[in-house]
DNA sequence: CTCGGCTGTCACGTAACTGTAACGGAAGCG
DNA sequence: CGCTTCCGTTACAGTTACGTGACAGCCGAG
């Protein structure tokens, strides 16, 4: 499994160091930002999987950052955990209202934050915490890096494997070629968007070997989706 | 969201009672079947959202039921959770390969089963909880790019899809051809206004396939509107 | 080095989709 | 009732987007 990338937005240096250390120990990749502007920049550039956001920030308040994130089309669903000082109960409400997925009250133990992060990731990206993903008669074993369909082993190249995995993590959902390039190839690699077509074909060829039904739906002028329903 | 309907397939009466009680407490609707034949019948008749399937069953084994479900075109994606006795490790593999989405080892606590059920529902049917627009018996799933009427899938071309989406976002409202061109085609594209008529026809044809009532109302010398009411 | 697997790109064919025109019928209007 | 306007319907040619096979470059294993 690829490491989830967590962005910490916090202006206290000591707290950053502490969290950074603890999150990396738990197998996360960690990034830092010290104010709201930098946070928004990092979100656009590094596309974190989750943001830990301090309530009190210089330049832009945490709540404002939260609102702006929710207005970015690319990052509307980015999970956010807010850090708030003790007893700011009304703030808590406003925090959740402004779009945070969870909140942690200071002072807190690092392990509590880790637990919350895992919970939120599990909830919003269920497949991240599973060791195997299945859909219809398809099964992907993440640990063993193996794929079977109806029990029969299927060999996939690395790219096809990541592609299928991405589809399995969001079954039914349509992705444009650009989205797939970002998610599967990485945001800093430039390849032709038609390349996606070729890999989708190779994936199809592998999955449908033996005359099985096609599991990937083409949505003309929109992209592809994993979809077992017959057309 | 409507209550998910869970079908329990289990031959031990005591276990059924226990599960029935606990699942209802959690806000699920619950149905029961005591053997494989009854299970398949119930699936066709009641169309459950998820099946909890015992491995050992009279008349038809759980695994066989599982396979048959996966071969029903209507229910290929029906989530299945298998109940298996402790230590049947090879069975577990075979269970997943035959198409189960998860498994729970006996003995288990009801709350564990509930957690698994919720996890599977979240994972396998994200579209239900995501953004979708519906009107009358019509439903448009934006993430999956799918349209259904009365449960039946409907195929639309890209333009018809955008057109219907625009109507669904403003149900009942009448749009002139020019307004539709601006909204659906874009302000900077010039096409004949009569082109709208053709696409409206194509949309109607797709939506009304099978002798259903027309959902698009023509307003003479004004335009079109989405409208379920009869005149 | 050589080989085989994997990747990205291209070119070509084709199926799906699009816009326009043309015809006929329905609706308004005197 | 005749005329006009507007709309439904069909057909068709042009365009677009996708599927497919081929191929050269890359890279690590042997």
């Amino acid at each position: 499994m690829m490491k989830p990338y967590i962005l910490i937005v916090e202006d206290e240096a000591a707290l950053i160091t502490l969290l950074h250390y603890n999150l990396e120990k738990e197998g996360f990749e960690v990034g830092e930002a010290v104010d709201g502007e930098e946070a928004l920049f990092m979100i656009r550039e590094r596309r974190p999987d989750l943001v830990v956001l301090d309530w009190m920030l210089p330049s832009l308040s945490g709540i404002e950052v939260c609102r702006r994130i929710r207005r970015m089309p690319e990052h509307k669903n980015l999970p956010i955990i807010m850090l708030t000082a003790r007893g700011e109960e009304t703030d808590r409400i406003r925090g959740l209202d402004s779009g945070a997925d969870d909140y942690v009250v200071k002072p807190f133990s690092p392990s509590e934050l880790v637990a919350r992060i895992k919970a939120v990731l599990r909830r919003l990206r269920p497949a991240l915490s599973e060791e195997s993903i299945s859909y219809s008669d398809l099964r992907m074993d993440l640990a063993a890096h193996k794929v079977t369909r109806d029990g029969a082993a299927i060999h996939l190249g690395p790219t096809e494997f990541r592609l299928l995995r991405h589809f399995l993590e969001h079954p039914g959902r349509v992705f444009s070629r650009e989205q797939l390039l970002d998610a599967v190839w990485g945001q800093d690699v430039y390849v032709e968007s038609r390349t996606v077509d070729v890999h989708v074909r190779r994936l199809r060829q592998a999955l449908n070997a033996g005359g099985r039904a096609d599991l990937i739906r083409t949505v003309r002028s929109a992209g592809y989706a994993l979809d077992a329903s017959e057309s």
Side-chain angles (χ1 to χ4, degrees), chain A residues 66-219:
Chain A
C66 199
R67 286 229 176 78
R68 297 208 186 178
I69 291 172
R70 292 293 179 240
R71 276 202 296 267
M72 300 181 183
E74 292 284 318
H75 305 286
K76 285 175 72 162
N77 298 319
L78 178 56
I80 299 174
I81 294 182
M82 288 278 253
L83 303 179
T84 101
R86 180 200 296 283
E88 295 172 341
E89 197 62 18
T90 58
D91 291 350
R92 167 199 163 186
I93 308 288
R94 288 206 291 154
L96 287 175
D97 276 349
S98 67
D101 295 284
D102 203 350
Y103 72 101
V104 178
V105 177
K106 292 186 193 177
F108 56 87
S109 72
S111 62
E112 180 183 354
L113 181 62
V114 168
R116 301 287 189 124
I117 289 175
K118 287 184 177 173
V120 169
L121 285 179
R122 249 201 316 278
R123 177 150 50 88
L124 295 177
R125 302 186 34 188
L128 276 184
S129 56
E130 310 274 336
E131 76 284 355
S132 83
I133 322 175
S134 63
Y135 180 81
S136 180
D137 54 359
L138 204 83
R139 183 166 143 248
M140 167 176 282
D141 186 325
L142 296 179
H145 236 255
K146 276 183 175 168
V147 177
T148 59
R149 184 164 185 192
D150 199 28
I154 289 175
H155 176 73
L156 296 179
T159 306
E160 281 74 38
F161 188 87
R162 290 199 308 275
L163 182 59
L164 176 58
R165 178 175 173 182
H166 184 71
F167 279 131
L168 282 169
E169 283 172 349
H170 310 275
R173 179 158 174 181
V174 175
F175 293 99
S176 71
R177 293 172 175 71
E178 285 69 26
Q179 287 176 312
L180 290 172
L181 286 176
D182 279 358
V184 177
W185 276 257
Q187 50 267 13
D188 32 42
V189 193
Y190 180 73
V191 287
E192 289 290 323
S193 69
R194 285 299 312 273
T195 301
V196 175
D197 295 30
V198 178
H199 283 276
V200 165
R201 158 157 169 73
R202 287 170 183 159
L203 180 55
R204 274 181 169 146
Q205 203 164 281
L207 295 183
N208 306 344
R212 298 170 188 280
D214 195 357
L215 284 176
I216 298 178
R217 179 167 55 109
T218 303
V219 181

Side-chain angles (χ1 to χ4, degrees), chain A residues 17-36:
Chain A
T17 312
L18 177 68
L19 295 181
H20 200 132
Y21 169 75
N22 277 282
L23 291 179
E24 279 195 338
K25 204 180 59 182
E26 288 290 332
F28 297 115
E29 259 196 276
V30 181
E32 305 167 357
V34 298
D35 62 30

Side-chain angles (χ1 to χ4, degrees), chain A residues 44-71:
Chain A
R44 271 188 294 265
E45 291 302 308
R46 299 290 321 269
R47 302 178 177 241
D49 297 292
L50 184 146
V51 177
V52 175
L53 186 57
D54 192 10
W55 164 259
M56 293 291 293
L57 282 178
S59 90
L60 266 179
S61 80
I63 209 171
E64 184 54 32
V65 174
C66 199
R67 286 229 176 78
R68 297 208 186 178
I69 291 172
R70 292 293 179 240
R71 276 202 296 267

